[in-house]
Amino acid sequence: MKSIFYNLIILFFSVSGIHAQYTEEDWKDRDTWMKTADLLNFSGIKEGDKVADIGCHEGYLSMHLSKRVLENGRVYAVDVREDRLKTLRENANSRNRKNIITILGDYDNPKLPERELDLIFIIDTYHEMESYEKILQHVKKSLKPNGKVVILEKLKTHVKGKSREVQISAHSLGPEYVRKELKQAGFTIISEIEDHGKWERESSKQMWVILAQKQK
């Protein structure tokens, strides 16, 4: 039943002409409003790093990460939809990005290799994770000692100060919840950006970023 429902969703988007979120045609504009270069500098990513992009969609951030870590680095691009990963592989091949590995994850497990990664990025995806406690434990196991996780989210004005349940129902989340959950999972918050700008330039959607480190 689940697979039938999933196929119906894909068919709807195909026949209606609605393109998937974060498609390649939007990438150049996203560089500007998401301040992607600043975000990557903030993360401390460097050549040779092994990194992950959880919730990669069609590869926007994965392509940027690939350019940063270069040939001696590696990017694990994770999504729960194979159609997105297929498009990502096509995008990577067209750019000759051979350091990207795609992973079809589960909703409670990104299926990353253990104790291998320097950095994990979760961009506008954490609020969708119902099993965030399990996922954070998998993230921690995947990181090397002192490895880091970067979480970027948007907080919508009309749900600011509301409960976690109300915020996630609006596809939004405040940093106070994520900060607490990271600490409970065994991470140390090392840096934050309280206001990273407006998501898709919409004044009611403020972006924020947390950089946390795995405790030894």
Side-chain angles (χ1 to χ4, degrees), residues 135-190:
I135 292 173
L136 287 178
Q137 289 305 315
H138 286 299
V139 165
K140 188 168 69 171
K141 289 178 182 178
S142 299
L143 289 168
K144 297 176 181 177
N146 299 318
K148 300 171 186 175
V149 58
V150 178
I151 297 179
L152 180 149
E153 277 291 343
K154 57 184 180 292
L155 179 58
K156 298 179 181 179
T157 303
H158 74 282
V159 294
K160 189 173 183 179
K162 303 292 185 180
S163 69
R164 192 185 200 282
E165 291 73 20
V166 170
Q167 289 186 359
I168 63 174
S169 69
H171 300 283
S172 176
L173 194 57
E176 65 275 14
Y177 295 110
V178 181
R179 191 182 301 118
K180 179 180 178 180
E181 291 156 9
L182 283 166
K183 290 178 180 177
Q184 290 175 338
F187 289 88
T188 300
I189 309 300
I190 59 175

Side-chain angles (χ1 to χ4, degrees), residues 82-112:
E82 178 58 40
D83 61 310
R84 287 174 177 166
L85 296 176
K86 180 178 180 294
T87 303
L88 189 154
R89 288 190 290 269
E90 293 169 354
N91 288 328
N93 288 337
S94 68
R95 293 167 170 77
N96 198 31
R97 298 293 175 190
K98 298 179 180 180
N99 58 355
I100 299 176
I101 298 171
T102 57
I103 298 176
L104 182 63
D106 289 334
Y107 284 94
D108 63 353
N109 185 355
K111 297 184 178 180
L112 291 165

Side-chain angles (χ1 to χ4, degrees), residues 9 24 35 39-40 77-78 81 84 90 98 114 118 122 125 138 147 160-161 171 181 183 191 197 205-206 209 215:
I9 292 175
E24 188 175 2
K35 304 177 185 178
L39 178 67
L40 295 181
V78 183
R81 282 177 44 176
R84 287 174 177 166
E90 293 169 354
K98 298 179 180 180
E114 292 191 7
D118 300 284
I122 307 175
T125 299
H138 286 299
K160 189 173 183 179
H171 300 283
E181 291 156 9
K183 290 178 180 177
S191 191
K205 300 178 181 179
Q206 179 183 321
V209 189
Q215 295 176 2

